[in-house]
Amino acid sequence: MGLLKLLRSLKKNEKEARILVLGLDNAGKTTILKALSEEDISTIMPTQGFNIKALTQDGFKLNVWDIGGQKAIRPYWKNYYENTDGLVYVVDSSDEVRLKECVEELQSLLAEENLKNVPMLVFANKQDLQFALDAEEIMSHLQLMEIKDRTWTIQACSAVTKEGLQEGMEWLVKTISEKK
Amino acid sequence: MSTQNNPNQGYNSTPDLTEEEVQRISDGFKIISMKMKNAATGEVLWQCDDWNLREGEVKDVRFPKKILECSEVSRELVFQSGEEIKYFQLLQRIKFHGQEIESLYFRFGFVIPGSTNSWDQVIYADTEGMMPAEVLSGNLVVETLFMSGDTVVHRSFYRIFYE
């Protein structure tokens, strides 16, 4: 095995999906991505643009786009909606103060034409923290039960302990593949 | 299925940029680092944090031989852009003894002004046998073109050695 063959195999016609990961700054989007690809998560800086990661899951090649969540960057999110097969919305479950802001951003995403019908996974992240709200509480704050126009789920997780990450991604890929 | 990274479906026609716009994008564009990782374990096999190549320069890189033994290699490229870029795409050509043997295309789309961005690409191994490191070493050159639409904003080369 070596480089020539390695490169050749890039052209295999795999099942591909584009996943968009959004959420407020400090929600843990980049940390989740790094944890999913077994990388070191000790020195993660706020994302000042995008991070694209290729992951494989259940025979799917996922191109995962994590876009910075700082307020100044959010107006640029709309440039990344097109062709999205799955949306991941990451919530810092320990940040009760900013839940309102978190709900508002979600509402405006759900109203986007380019994200219409796109399945959504909500990660209720940071469950390792003592005062984190559980998934049920996050679900009620985000008014997820009112979403009728797409398939969605909420998954409690911790990017630090990796709990719940795999389950969430498995749901998303299964849902995307059923839709395709 | 997503077809956005099919090279046959690249941007057909994008608005022409003025020379000044191209120059500004080019001046504000910088590759910060490149990393090669074992995608199965996340282990960093090779890393360069000083990847500021001048136009046309050929950089020598020395990968550890064990990179060829990984079944999945993940390459991470970090780049900065001062300017907004609307139709950003990458074309990479790999040449062995000067002859193109492979090419790779990726469409980024929009780049946020004043942004730092990272791109991870996983390269999978085939199960069949392959050329040994000794044959490849020093004879592989990778040309990378970063483009805004059809216009090249950054071109760089690196030559791969295995040791």
Side-chain angles (χ1 to χ4, degrees):
Chain A
M1 154 182 74
L3 193 65
L4 295 183
K5 282 275 168 62
L6 291 179
L7 294 164
R8 288 263 141 79
S9 59
L10 272 172
K11 285 201 172 154
K12 268 184 204 156
N13 203 6
E14 289 173 306
K15 291 183 284 183
E16 276 194 39
R18 177 181 167 114
I19 310 289
L20 184 62
V21 183
L22 297 174
L24 301 188
D25 47 300
N26 201 41
K29 300 178 289 299
T30 307
T31 310
I32 287 176
L33 276 199
K34 292 228 177 209
L36 279 168
S37 50
E38 307 291 337
E39 285 176 60
D40 178 26
I41 57 165
S42 59
T43 54
I44 292 171
M45 306 289 286
T47 303
Q48 309 282 350
F50 56 67
N51 298 306
I52 305 168
K53 247 187 211 311
L55 297 173
T56 37
Q57 172 99 41
D58 304 325
F60 261 84
K61 185 181 168 221
L62 307 178
N63 273 311
V64 187
W65 292 65
D66 148 36
I67 319 290
Q70 289 170 58
K71 213 162 190 168
I73 298 180
R74 285 179 222 160
Y76 295 110
W77 282 0
K78 62 177 189 315
N79 294 290
Y80 300 94
Y81 297 160
E82 217 176 321
N83 297 319
T84 295
D85 297 303
L87 176 65
V88 178
Y89 193 71
V90 182
V91 180
D92 176 352
S93 311
S94 73
D95 187 0
E96 235 181 312
V97 179
R98 292 210 297 166
L99 262 180
K100 188 167 169 282
E101 190 180 345
C102 182
V103 174
E104 285 164 4
E105 291 296 348
L106 177 63
Q107 297 298 344
S108 63
L109 281 178
L110 295 177
E112 288 289 342
E113 186 63 28
N114 273 334
L115 291 174
K116 210 173 160 184
N117 302 323
V118 171
M120 177 176 69
L121 160 69
V122 177
F123 266 137
N125 191 25
K126 306 202 187 180
Q127 292 297 321
D128 52 299
L129 298 181
Q130 196 184 349
F131 298 107
L133 299 177
D134 64 25
E136 212 159 302
E137 289 168 291
I138 296 291
M139 182 170 81
S140 124
H141 278 284
L142 298 188
Q143 301 155 38
L144 297 181
M145 298 304 284
E146 286 168 34
I147 300 174
K148 306 284 182 220
D149 61 343
R150 72 186 72 226
T151 319
W152 61 270
T153 194
I154 182 162
Q155 172 70 50
C157 77
S158 160
V160 175
T161 66
K162 294 190 185 172
E163 216 182 317
L165 296 184
Q166 204 54 39
E167 289 88 336
M169 294 308 288
E170 276 168 20
W171 176 87
L172 191 61
V173 168
K174 186 168 161 278
T175 307
I176 291 170
S177 63
E178 282 166 1
K179 199 172 167 243
K180 283 199 170 203
Chain B
M1 299 294 132
S2 165
T3 52
Q4 54 163 337
N5 288 318
N6 180 342
N8 300 321
Q9 303 202 356
Y11 297 110
N12 290 327
S13 67
T14 51
D16 286 338
L17 296 170
T18 66
E19 251 174 64
E20 291 79 51
E21 284 171 323
V22 174
Q23 192 61 47
R24 267 210 309 277
I25 290 173
S26 178
D27 289 346
F29 186 84
K30 190 177 169 192
I31 300 172
I32 304 293
S33 66
M34 186 164 104
K35 232 186 239 181
M36 304 294 280
K37 291 168 282 192
N38 180 338
T41 62
E43 182 199 356
V44 177
L45 300 168
W46 181 90
Q47 176 166 6
C48 174
D49 295 319
D50 175 26
W51 191 261
N52 198 20
L53 295 189
R54 284 186 302 274
E55 182 78 23
E57 181 183 346
V58 183
K59 190 182 182 85
D60 287 349
V61 302
R62 296 174 191 284
F63 291 157
K65 267 185 196 162
K66 69 172 177 179
I67 227 168
L68 294 170
E69 289 156 21
C70 296
S71 59
E72 297 176 7
V73 175
S74 161
R75 182 185 59 188
E76 180 195 279
L77 210 58
V78 179
F79 59 90
Q80 282 181 344
S81 179
E83 298 292 314
E84 167 183 313
I85 310 175
K86 282 204 177 77
Y87 306 95
F88 195 51
Q89 47 189 347
L90 167 145
L91 180 65
Q92 201 156 48
R93 300 189 186 119
I94 295 103
K95 290 180 182 167
F96 180 60
H97 284 300
Q99 191 164 5
E100 183 171 324
I101 52 160
E102 194 55 72
S103 66
L104 166 67
Y105 169 82
F106 192 85
R107 181 190 290 193
F108 295 95
F110 188 83
V111 178
I112 298 168
S115 63
T116 301
N117 309 284
S118 77
W119 174 51
D120 263 35
Q121 175 81 18
V122 177
I123 303 167
Y124 303 92
D126 259 340
T127 43
E128 297 164 56
M130 247 296 279
M131 281 203 221
E134 295 71 28
V135 175
L136 297 171
S137 187
N139 299 316
L140 281 174
V141 173
V142 180
E143 176 186 17
T144 310
L145 302 172
F146 285 99
M147 294 177 289
S148 172
D150 300 330
T151 311
V152 176
V153 294
H154 191 273
R155 179 198 305 260
S156 66
F157 300 87
Y158 61 90
R159 185 185 300 275
I160 301 174
F161 292 86
Y162 294 97
E163 52 181 44

